[in-house]
Short mmCIF file of all heavy atoms in Angstrom, two decimals:
data_model
loop_
_atom_site.label_atom_id
_atom_site.label_comp_id
_atom_site.label_asym_id
_atom_site.label_seq_id
_atom_site.Cartn_x
_atom_site.Cartn_y
_atom_site.Cartn_z
N CYS A 22 4.43 -5.67 -1.21
CA CYS A 22 4.30 -6.03 0.21
C CYS A 22 4.12 -7.54 0.28
O CYS A 22 3.10 -8.07 -0.16
CB CYS A 22 3.12 -5.32 0.83
SG CYS A 22 2.77 -5.85 2.52
N ALA A 23 5.12 -8.20 0.83
CA ALA A 23 5.09 -9.65 0.94
C ALA A 23 4.71 -10.06 2.35
O ALA A 23 5.29 -9.58 3.33
CB ALA A 23 6.46 -10.23 0.58
N ALA A 24 3.75 -10.96 2.45
CA ALA A 24 3.28 -11.46 3.74
C ALA A 24 3.91 -12.81 4.02
O ALA A 24 4.03 -13.65 3.14
CB ALA A 24 1.77 -11.56 3.75
N SER A 25 4.29 -13.02 5.25
CA SER A 25 4.82 -14.32 5.67
C SER A 25 4.33 -14.63 7.08
O SER A 25 3.75 -13.79 7.75
CB SER A 25 6.35 -14.32 5.63
OG SER A 25 6.88 -13.35 6.53
N GLY A 26 4.57 -15.85 7.52
CA GLY A 26 4.10 -16.26 8.83
C GLY A 26 2.76 -16.96 8.71
O GLY A 26 2.49 -17.65 7.72
N THR A 27 1.90 -16.75 9.66
CA THR A 27 0.59 -17.38 9.67
C THR A 27 -0.35 -16.56 8.81
O THR A 27 -1.12 -15.73 9.29
CB THR A 27 0.07 -17.49 11.11
OG1 THR A 27 1.08 -18.03 11.95
CG2 THR A 27 -1.18 -18.35 11.16
N ILE A 28 -0.29 -16.80 7.51
CA ILE A 28 -0.96 -15.91 6.58
C ILE A 28 -2.32 -16.40 6.13
O ILE A 28 -3.02 -15.68 5.41
CB ILE A 28 -0.09 -15.68 5.34
CG1 ILE A 28 0.24 -17.02 4.69
CG2 ILE A 28 1.17 -14.90 5.69
CD1 ILE A 28 1.05 -16.90 3.43
N PHE A 29 -2.72 -17.61 6.53
CA PHE A 29 -4.02 -18.09 6.07
C PHE A 29 -5.11 -17.20 6.63
O PHE A 29 -4.98 -16.62 7.69
CB PHE A 29 -4.23 -19.54 6.48
CG PHE A 29 -4.32 -19.74 7.96
CD1 PHE A 29 -5.54 -19.66 8.63
CD2 PHE A 29 -3.19 -20.02 8.69
CE1 PHE A 29 -5.62 -19.86 9.99
CE2 PHE A 29 -3.25 -20.22 10.05
CZ PHE A 29 -4.47 -20.13 10.71
N SER A 30 -6.16 -17.06 5.90
CA SER A 30 -7.33 -16.27 6.29
C SER A 30 -7.08 -14.77 6.33
O SER A 30 -7.88 -14.03 6.91
CB SER A 30 -7.88 -16.72 7.65
OG SER A 30 -8.33 -18.05 7.58
N ILE A 31 -5.97 -14.29 5.75
CA ILE A 31 -5.84 -12.85 5.59
C ILE A 31 -6.90 -12.42 4.60
O ILE A 31 -6.99 -12.96 3.50
CB ILE A 31 -4.45 -12.44 5.10
CG1 ILE A 31 -3.43 -12.67 6.20
CG2 ILE A 31 -4.45 -10.98 4.69
CD1 ILE A 31 -2.03 -12.27 5.80
N ASP A 32 -7.72 -11.47 4.98
CA ASP A 32 -8.80 -11.02 4.11
C ASP A 32 -8.32 -9.82 3.30
O ASP A 32 -7.71 -9.97 2.28
CB ASP A 32 -10.03 -10.69 4.94
CG ASP A 32 -11.24 -10.38 4.07
OD1 ASP A 32 -11.17 -10.59 2.85
OD2 ASP A 32 -12.25 -9.90 4.61
N VAL A 33 -8.58 -8.64 3.77
CA VAL A 33 -8.19 -7.47 3.01
C VAL A 33 -6.73 -7.12 3.24
O VAL A 33 -6.17 -7.37 4.30
CB VAL A 33 -9.08 -6.26 3.34
CG1 VAL A 33 -10.52 -6.53 2.99
CG2 VAL A 33 -8.95 -5.87 4.80
N MET A 34 -6.15 -6.57 2.20
CA MET A 34 -4.81 -6.00 2.30
C MET A 34 -4.85 -4.63 1.63
O MET A 34 -5.72 -4.37 0.79
CB MET A 34 -3.76 -6.88 1.63
CG MET A 34 -3.60 -8.24 2.29
SD MET A 34 -2.22 -9.19 1.62
CE MET A 34 -0.81 -8.29 2.31
N GLY A 35 -3.94 -3.79 2.02
CA GLY A 35 -3.98 -2.46 1.42
C GLY A 35 -2.81 -1.61 1.83
O GLY A 35 -1.82 -2.10 2.37
N TRP A 36 -2.96 -0.32 1.55
CA TRP A 36 -1.90 0.64 1.79
C TRP A 36 -2.44 1.90 2.46
O TRP A 36 -3.52 2.38 2.10
CB TRP A 36 -1.24 1.04 0.47
CG TRP A 36 -0.57 -0.10 -0.23
CD1 TRP A 36 -1.13 -0.97 -1.11
CD2 TRP A 36 0.79 -0.49 -0.09
NE1 TRP A 36 -0.20 -1.89 -1.52
CE2 TRP A 36 0.99 -1.61 -0.92
CE3 TRP A 36 1.87 0.00 0.64
CZ2 TRP A 36 2.23 -2.25 -1.04
CZ3 TRP A 36 3.11 -0.63 0.51
CH2 TRP A 36 3.28 -1.74 -0.30
N TYR A 37 -1.69 2.39 3.41
CA TYR A 37 -1.87 3.71 3.97
C TYR A 37 -0.58 4.49 3.68
O TYR A 37 0.44 3.91 3.31
CB TYR A 37 -2.08 3.63 5.48
CG TYR A 37 -3.51 3.46 5.91
CD1 TYR A 37 -4.21 2.29 5.67
CD2 TYR A 37 -4.17 4.49 6.59
CE1 TYR A 37 -5.52 2.14 6.08
CE2 TYR A 37 -5.49 4.34 7.02
CZ TYR A 37 -6.15 3.16 6.76
OH TYR A 37 -7.45 3.01 7.17
N ARG A 38 -0.63 5.79 3.89
CA ARG A 38 0.57 6.61 3.78
C ARG A 38 0.53 7.71 4.84
O ARG A 38 -0.53 8.11 5.28
CB ARG A 38 0.72 7.21 2.39
CG ARG A 38 -0.36 8.21 2.00
CD ARG A 38 -0.19 8.63 0.55
NE ARG A 38 -1.23 9.57 0.14
CZ ARG A 38 -1.39 10.02 -1.10
NH1 ARG A 38 -0.58 9.61 -2.08
NH2 ARG A 38 -2.35 10.87 -1.39
N GLN A 39 1.72 8.17 5.19
CA GLN A 39 1.83 9.24 6.17
C GLN A 39 2.88 10.22 5.70
O GLN A 39 4.07 9.87 5.59
CB GLN A 39 2.17 8.70 7.56
CG GLN A 39 2.11 9.76 8.64
CD GLN A 39 2.10 9.17 10.03
OE1 GLN A 39 2.48 8.01 10.24
NE2 GLN A 39 1.63 9.94 11.00
N ALA A 40 2.45 11.44 5.43
CA ALA A 40 3.35 12.51 5.04
C ALA A 40 3.85 13.22 6.30
O ALA A 40 3.19 13.17 7.35
CB ALA A 40 2.63 13.48 4.12
N PRO A 41 4.99 13.90 6.21
CA PRO A 41 5.52 14.61 7.38
C PRO A 41 4.51 15.59 7.96
O PRO A 41 3.92 16.39 7.23
CB PRO A 41 6.75 15.33 6.82
CG PRO A 41 7.15 14.53 5.63
CD PRO A 41 5.87 14.00 5.05
N GLY A 42 4.28 15.50 9.26
CA GLY A 42 3.38 16.42 9.92
C GLY A 42 1.91 16.15 9.70
O GLY A 42 1.06 16.93 10.14
N LYS A 43 1.59 15.04 9.05
CA LYS A 43 0.18 14.72 8.78
C LYS A 43 -0.18 13.37 9.36
O LYS A 43 0.68 12.55 9.68
CB LYS A 43 -0.07 14.73 7.27
CG LYS A 43 0.09 16.09 6.62
CD LYS A 43 -0.36 16.06 5.17
CE LYS A 43 -0.27 17.43 4.54
NZ LYS A 43 -0.74 17.41 3.11
N GLN A 44 -1.49 13.14 9.48
CA GLN A 44 -1.97 11.86 9.97
C GLN A 44 -1.86 10.80 8.88
O GLN A 44 -1.82 11.11 7.69
CB GLN A 44 -3.42 11.99 10.43
CG GLN A 44 -3.61 12.82 11.69
CD GLN A 44 -5.03 12.75 12.21
OE1 GLN A 44 -5.98 12.54 11.45
NE2 GLN A 44 -5.20 12.92 13.50
N ARG A 45 -1.81 9.55 9.33
CA ARG A 45 -1.79 8.45 8.37
C ARG A 45 -3.09 8.47 7.57
O ARG A 45 -4.18 8.64 8.13
CB ARG A 45 -1.61 7.13 9.10
CG ARG A 45 -1.23 5.97 8.20
CD ARG A 45 -0.85 4.74 9.00
NE ARG A 45 0.41 4.93 9.71
CZ ARG A 45 1.08 3.92 10.28
NH1 ARG A 45 0.61 2.68 10.20
NH2 ARG A 45 2.20 4.16 10.93
N GLU A 46 -2.98 8.25 6.27
CA GLU A 46 -4.11 8.38 5.36
C GLU A 46 -4.32 7.09 4.58
O GLU A 46 -3.35 6.50 4.07
CB GLU A 46 -3.81 9.53 4.37
CG GLU A 46 -4.79 9.67 3.23
CD GLU A 46 -4.32 10.63 2.15
OE1 GLU A 46 -3.12 10.60 1.79
OE2 GLU A 46 -5.15 11.41 1.65
N PHE A 47 -5.57 6.66 4.47
CA PHE A 47 -5.90 5.51 3.65
C PHE A 47 -5.58 5.80 2.18
O PHE A 47 -5.87 6.89 1.68
CB PHE A 47 -7.38 5.17 3.81
CG PHE A 47 -7.91 4.24 2.75
CD1 PHE A 47 -7.66 2.89 2.83
CD2 PHE A 47 -8.64 4.73 1.68
CE1 PHE A 47 -8.14 2.02 1.86
CE2 PHE A 47 -9.13 3.89 0.71
CZ PHE A 47 -8.88 2.53 0.79
N VAL A 48 -5.01 4.81 1.48
CA VAL A 48 -4.70 4.97 0.07
C VAL A 48 -5.51 3.99 -0.79
O VAL A 48 -6.21 4.40 -1.71
CB VAL A 48 -3.20 4.74 -0.20
CG1 VAL A 48 -2.90 4.83 -1.71
CG2 VAL A 48 -2.36 5.75 0.56
N ALA A 49 -5.41 2.70 -0.49
CA ALA A 49 -6.07 1.72 -1.33
C ALA A 49 -6.26 0.43 -0.56
O ALA A 49 -5.52 0.15 0.40
CB ALA A 49 -5.26 1.46 -2.60
N ILE A 50 -7.24 -0.36 -1.00
CA ILE A 50 -7.54 -1.63 -0.35
C ILE A 50 -7.97 -2.64 -1.40
O ILE A 50 -8.54 -2.26 -2.44
CB ILE A 50 -8.64 -1.44 0.72
CG1 ILE A 50 -8.79 -2.67 1.59
CG2 ILE A 50 -9.96 -1.08 0.06
CD1 ILE A 50 -9.72 -2.44 2.78
N ILE A 51 -7.68 -3.90 -1.14
CA ILE A 51 -8.11 -4.96 -2.04
C ILE A 51 -8.51 -6.17 -1.20
O ILE A 51 -7.81 -6.53 -0.25
CB ILE A 51 -7.00 -5.32 -3.06
CG1 ILE A 51 -7.53 -6.34 -4.08
CG2 ILE A 51 -5.73 -5.81 -2.38
CD1 ILE A 51 -6.61 -6.50 -5.30
N SER A 52 -9.63 -6.78 -1.56
CA SER A 52 -10.09 -7.96 -0.85
C SER A 52 -9.48 -9.22 -1.47
O SER A 52 -8.86 -9.16 -2.53
CB SER A 52 -11.61 -8.05 -0.91
OG SER A 52 -12.03 -8.38 -2.23
N THR A 53 -9.70 -10.33 -0.82
CA THR A 53 -9.22 -11.61 -1.36
C THR A 53 -9.80 -11.86 -2.74
O THR A 53 -9.13 -12.40 -3.62
CB THR A 53 -9.60 -12.76 -0.42
OG1 THR A 53 -9.11 -12.49 0.89
CG2 THR A 53 -9.02 -14.07 -0.90
N GLY A 54 -11.04 -11.44 -2.95
CA GLY A 54 -11.70 -11.64 -4.23
C GLY A 54 -11.36 -10.62 -5.29
O GLY A 54 -11.83 -10.71 -6.42
N GLY A 55 -10.56 -9.61 -4.92
CA GLY A 55 -10.11 -8.63 -5.90
C GLY A 55 -10.87 -7.33 -5.94
O GLY A 55 -10.60 -6.48 -6.79
N ARG A 56 -11.82 -7.16 -5.03
CA ARG A 56 -12.52 -5.87 -5.00
C ARG A 56 -11.57 -4.80 -4.47
O ARG A 56 -10.84 -5.03 -3.52
CB ARG A 56 -13.76 -5.96 -4.12
CG ARG A 56 -14.88 -6.82 -4.72
CD ARG A 56 -16.02 -6.96 -3.74
NE ARG A 56 -15.61 -7.63 -2.53
CZ ARG A 56 -16.39 -7.81 -1.47
NH1 ARG A 56 -17.63 -7.33 -1.49
NH2 ARG A 56 -15.95 -8.43 -0.41
N THR A 57 -11.62 -3.62 -5.08
CA THR A 57 -10.70 -2.56 -4.73
C THR A 57 -11.43 -1.27 -4.38
O THR A 57 -12.58 -1.04 -4.78
CB THR A 57 -9.72 -2.27 -5.88
OG1 THR A 57 -10.47 -1.86 -7.04
CG2 THR A 57 -8.90 -3.51 -6.24
N ASN A 58 -10.72 -0.43 -3.65
CA ASN A 58 -11.22 0.90 -3.35
C ASN A 58 -10.02 1.81 -3.16
O ASN A 58 -8.95 1.35 -2.70
CB ASN A 58 -12.10 0.90 -2.10
CG ASN A 58 -12.90 2.18 -1.98
OD1 ASN A 58 -13.12 2.89 -2.95
ND2 ASN A 58 -13.35 2.48 -0.76
N TYR A 59 -10.18 3.09 -3.50
CA TYR A 59 -9.07 4.03 -3.44
C TYR A 59 -9.53 5.35 -2.82
O TYR A 59 -10.70 5.74 -2.93
CB TYR A 59 -8.56 4.34 -4.86
CG TYR A 59 -8.07 3.15 -5.63
CD1 TYR A 59 -8.93 2.40 -6.40
CD2 TYR A 59 -6.72 2.79 -5.60
CE1 TYR A 59 -8.48 1.30 -7.13
CE2 TYR A 59 -6.26 1.70 -6.33
CZ TYR A 59 -7.15 0.97 -7.09
OH TYR A 59 -6.69 -0.12 -7.80
N VAL A 60 -8.58 6.06 -2.25
CA VAL A 60 -8.86 7.43 -1.86
C VAL A 60 -8.98 8.25 -3.15
O VAL A 60 -8.33 7.95 -4.17
CB VAL A 60 -7.73 7.97 -0.94
CG1 VAL A 60 -6.42 8.09 -1.70
CG2 VAL A 60 -8.14 9.29 -0.33
N ASP A 61 -9.84 9.26 -3.13
CA ASP A 61 -10.12 10.01 -4.35
C ASP A 61 -8.86 10.60 -5.00
O ASP A 61 -8.75 10.66 -6.22
CB ASP A 61 -11.12 11.14 -4.06
CG ASP A 61 -12.53 10.62 -3.86
OD1 ASP A 61 -12.81 9.45 -4.20
OD2 ASP A 61 -13.38 11.40 -3.37
N SER A 62 -7.92 11.02 -4.18
CA SER A 62 -6.74 11.72 -4.70
C SER A 62 -5.83 10.84 -5.56
O SER A 62 -4.97 11.37 -6.28
CB SER A 62 -5.94 12.33 -3.57
OG SER A 62 -5.50 11.33 -2.67
N VAL A 63 -6.00 9.52 -5.50
CA VAL A 63 -5.13 8.63 -6.29
C VAL A 63 -5.89 7.88 -7.36
O VAL A 63 -5.28 7.16 -8.16
CB VAL A 63 -4.35 7.64 -5.40
CG1 VAL A 63 -3.64 8.36 -4.27
CG2 VAL A 63 -5.26 6.54 -4.86
N LYS A 64 -7.19 8.02 -7.41
CA LYS A 64 -7.99 7.30 -8.41
C LYS A 64 -7.53 7.68 -9.82
O LYS A 64 -7.34 8.86 -10.12
CB LYS A 64 -9.48 7.60 -8.22
CG LYS A 64 -10.10 6.91 -7.03
CD LYS A 64 -11.58 7.23 -6.90
CE LYS A 64 -12.19 6.52 -5.70
NZ LYS A 64 -13.62 6.88 -5.52
#
Side-chain angles (χ1 to χ4, degrees):
C22 173
S25 61
T27 311
I28 57 178
F29 65 89
S30 297
I31 290 181
D32 187 10
V33 298
M34 296 187 73
W36 297 88
Y37 272 69
R38 64 186 179 186
Q39 187 165 20
K43 294 188 177 181
Q44 291 188 333
R45 194 171 291 193
E46 172 191 42
F47 165 78
V48 177
I50 191 171
I51 186 167
S52 70
T53 304
R56 291 175 298 176
T57 61
N58 194 21
Y59 301 89
V60 67
D61 286 346
S62 60
V63 309
K64 286 180 180 177

